[in-house]
């Protein structure tokens, strides 16, 4: 006999998490049970437009048919080998991902933080083996208000006290300079510098878009200083800003690009360090690795993601829909919005603090069928799947307008 599973309400399911789940998140009170495209449905059958898209892990929407099919096909054949053996999917994934980014070699990993950690290790190794920095002296220059993940080394150079406090001692070897400030960067770089590590658009900080010329300036400065430019494109990359990589807005090719989130198609965690040959070839067997990195399921899904991006369709959609998003937000300035920044289909919106915190605004939007996430203070970010339609986007903007008007 099959047991009858009682249907549980959102409130019951949220309550059930309390005693057994670490409280490292404060989710909105919505319990998602299924999803398709830009829409999710909760356990009571209410539908919501997903305007967060898993922090850009769902750039192609929920359960994109081509990605689901690639995953199913691979599930039926081979899922894991470990890198102790070759598998028949990995080389194609690496070759096509390198070609997509204009770089030469790929180090496959799983999560974003792992890609960042790996990028840091590779940059340090390059500094010792190629640049000739004395052992143990390599430095990496990063930007204030960065977000690169949550490991102990990564929070060592975070400027967010909530992320750091209680987690020391920290990893040395990092210098923090203000973002979008080439003079400060220039002053921080010296003969010990292995790399400059920055986000081309700072996502968690509130979608901070640097001034025109900043990314090209970082490229020029790092080349002149003989250190690596490592671009963390984990959130900004893979179509989100209207280009494959956000650095392309300034026609820049970094030495190292870190990718994650959307690379896994919203199905499995897939990340990668993609770099020039001279950089990634500093790694030798045994020096770095991951049991799951480059597994055949990840490679199959990752290849299907690259295939979608090779068409250029999603980059085009992000650019076009980004125009609608920008126009819509411009019309809300003065009507509850005090300012915003956007690039492609990605915006950080500063709501008048008198109308509520970002969290409160997010809860009100949720009740109207729109899922967003706050960042700091009264800022919310909008990053729908790149598959969202113009009508859905416009309707979401109307809902934002309505909720802000009601909050006044
Ligand atoms: C720019 C950037 N780097 C790294 C990460 C960390 O990725 P993950 O959460 O997969 O470890 C994030 C996550 O938000 C990110 O936005």
């Amino acid at each position: 006999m099959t047991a009858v599973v009682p249907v549980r309400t959102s409130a019951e399911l949220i309550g059930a998490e309390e005693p057994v789940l670490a409280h490292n998140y404060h989710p909105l009170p919505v319990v998602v049970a299924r999803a398709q495209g830009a829409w999710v449905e909760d356990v009571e059958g209410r539908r919501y437009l997903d305007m967060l898209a898993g922090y850009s892990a769902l750039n192609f929407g929920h359960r994109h048919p081509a990605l689901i099919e690639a995953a199913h096909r691979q599930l039926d054949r081979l899922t894991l080998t470990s890198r102790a053996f070759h598998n028949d999917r990995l080389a194609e994934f690496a070759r096509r991902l390198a070609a997509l980014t204009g770089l030469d070699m790929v180090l496959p990993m799983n999560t974003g933080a792992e890609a960042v950690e790996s990028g840091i290790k590779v940059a340090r190794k390059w500094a010792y083996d190629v640049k000739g920095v004395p052992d143990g002296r390599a430095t990496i220059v990063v930007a204030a208000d960065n977000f690169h993940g949550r490991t102990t080394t990564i929070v060592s150079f975070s400027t967010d006290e909530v992320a750091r406090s209680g987690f020391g001692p920290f990893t040395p070897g990092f210098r923090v300079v203000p973002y979008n400030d080439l003079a400060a960067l220039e002053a921080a770089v010296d003969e010990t510098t292995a790399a400059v590590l920055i986000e081309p658009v700072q996502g968690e900080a509130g979608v901070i878009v640097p001034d025109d010329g900043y990314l090209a300036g970082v490229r020029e400065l790092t080349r002149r200083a003989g250190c690596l430019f490592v671009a963390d494109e984990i959130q900004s990359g893979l179509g989100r800003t209207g280009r494959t990589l956000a650095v392309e807005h300034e026609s820049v090719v970094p030495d190292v690009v870190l990718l994650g989130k959307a690379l896994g198609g919203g199905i499995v965690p897939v990340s990668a360090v993609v770099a020039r040959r001279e950089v990634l070839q500093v790694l030798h067997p045994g020096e770095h690795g991951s049991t799951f990195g480059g597994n055949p399921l990840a490679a199959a899904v990752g290849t299907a993601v690259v295939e979608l991006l090779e068409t250029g369709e999603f980059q085009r959609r992000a650019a076009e829909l980004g125009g609608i998003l920008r126009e819509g937000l411009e019309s809300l300035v003065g009507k509850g919005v005090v300012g915003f920044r956007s690039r492609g289909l990605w915006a950080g919106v500063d709501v008048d603090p008198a109308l509520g915190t970002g969290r409160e605004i997010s809860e009100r939007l949720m009740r109207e069928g729109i899922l967003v996430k706050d960042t700091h203070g009264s800022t919310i970010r909008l990053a729908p799947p790149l598959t969202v339609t113009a009508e859905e986007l416009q309707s979401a903007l109307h809902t934002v307008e309505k909720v802000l008007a009601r909050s006044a």
Side-chain angles (χ1 to χ4, degrees), residues 140-189:
I140 293 180
V141 183
V142 299
D145 301 321
N146 67 70
F147 187 89
H148 297 283
R150 304 288 198 172
T151 64
T152 37
T153 285
I154 294 173
V155 299
S156 295
F157 57 87
S158 169
T159 56
D160 176 356
E161 265 319 296
V162 178
R164 283 167 59 90
S165 186
F167 298 114
F170 298 115
T171 307
F174 298 95
R175 293 179 185 160
V176 184
V177 297
Y179 190 61
N180 197 22
D181 184 340
L182 286 171
L185 194 58
E186 175 117 48
V189 166

Side-chain angles (χ1 to χ4, degrees), residues 2-348:
T2 43
V4 178
V5 181
V7 177
R8 304 182 78 181
T9 63
S10 289
E12 283 169 339
L13 286 163
I14 291 168
E17 286 185 358
E18 272 290 298
V20 288
L21 206 58
H23 293 176
N24 57 328
Y25 279 92
H26 181 35
L28 288 177
V30 55
V31 183
V32 177
R34 50 187 67 78
Q36 185 64 48
W39 293 87
V40 303
E41 194 179 307
D42 71 8
V43 288
E44 280 95 6
R46 279 183 294 258
R47 296 179 81 229
Y48 305 81
L49 187 65
D50 185 353
M51 293 284 288
L52 177 66
Y55 305 93
S56 289
L58 290 155
N59 276 2
F60 309 98
H62 293 266
R63 307 180 66 255
H64 187 287
L67 304 179
I68 292 290
E69 199 203 320
H72 276 154
R73 256 190 280 125
Q74 194 58 38
L75 278 170
D76 285 340
R77 227 159 47 77
L78 175 73
T79 55
L80 188 77
T81 51
S82 87
R83 295 289 304 280
F85 315 120
H86 296 275
N87 73 66
D88 65 353
R89 303 311 311 258
L90 188 51
E92 186 192 356
F93 171 55
R95 182 180 53 75
R96 287 172 76 168
L97 183 60
L100 184 77
T101 53
L103 290 159
D104 308 318
M105 283 179 105
V106 171
L107 168 64
M109 301 300 288
N110 308 283
T111 64
E114 262 185 307
V116 175
E117 285 276 352
S118 306
I120 290 167
K121 286 179 69 177
V122 166
R124 286 177 168 181
K125 190 85 172 25
W126 174 88
Y128 301 129
D129 291 3
V130 179
K131 182 169 173 170
V133 173
D135 199 31
R137 299 267 322 277
T139 54
I140 293 180
V141 183
V142 299
D145 301 321
N146 67 70
F147 187 89
H148 297 283
R150 304 288 198 172
T151 64
T152 37
T153 285
I154 294 173
V155 299
S156 295
F157 57 87
S158 169
T159 56
D160 176 356
E161 265 319 296
V162 178
R164 283 167 59 90
S165 186
F167 298 114
F170 298 115
T171 307
F174 298 95
R175 293 179 185 160
V176 184
V177 297
Y179 190 61
N180 197 22
D181 184 340
L182 286 171
L185 194 58
E186 175 117 48
V189 166
D190 64 17
E191 68 289 348
T192 68
T193 307
V196 172
L197 164 63
I198 54 156
E199 299 157 83
V201 174
Q202 286 191 323
E204 297 299 305
V207 191
I208 307 298
V209 181
D211 294 341
D212 285 348
Y214 177 67
L215 299 172
V218 173
R219 176 65 285 183
E220 208 275 311
L221 194 159
T222 47
R223 191 171 283 132
R224 196 162 18 92
C227 65
L228 304 176
F229 178 4
V230 182
D232 180 346
E233 293 259 10
I234 287 165
Q235 196 165 162
S236 59
L238 306 181
R240 173 56 57 191
T241 68
R243 304 287 174 90
T244 302
L245 300 177
V247 286
E248 290 172 29
H249 287 277
E250 295 198 24
S251 306
V252 161
V253 181
D255 303 291
V256 180
V257 171
L258 309 176
L259 295 171
K261 296 196 192 279
L263 196 55
I267 301 175
V268 279
V270 185
S271 68
V273 178
V274 190
R276 292 197 291 111
R277 185 168 307 281
E278 179 206 290
V279 180
L280 262 182
Q281 73 183 8
V282 300
L283 288 182
H284 303 106
E287 290 174 348
H288 190 63
S290 152
T291 303
F292 287 90
N295 71 73
L297 180 60
V301 172
T303 303
V305 164
V306 172
E307 218 164 284
L308 292 181
L309 288 165
E310 283 167 352
T311 67
E313 179 196 337
F314 294 90
Q315 297 88 325
R316 246 186 332 269
R317 284 188 69 81
E320 282 166 19
L321 293 165
I324 296 175
L325 179 62
R326 173 172 284 276
E327 251 174 55
L329 290 173
E330 267 160 10
S331 76
L332 294 182
V333 173
K335 293 191 204 159
V337 169
V338 292
F340 74 92
R341 301 150 299 279
S342 79
R343 179 147 272 180
L345 201 47
W346 195 18

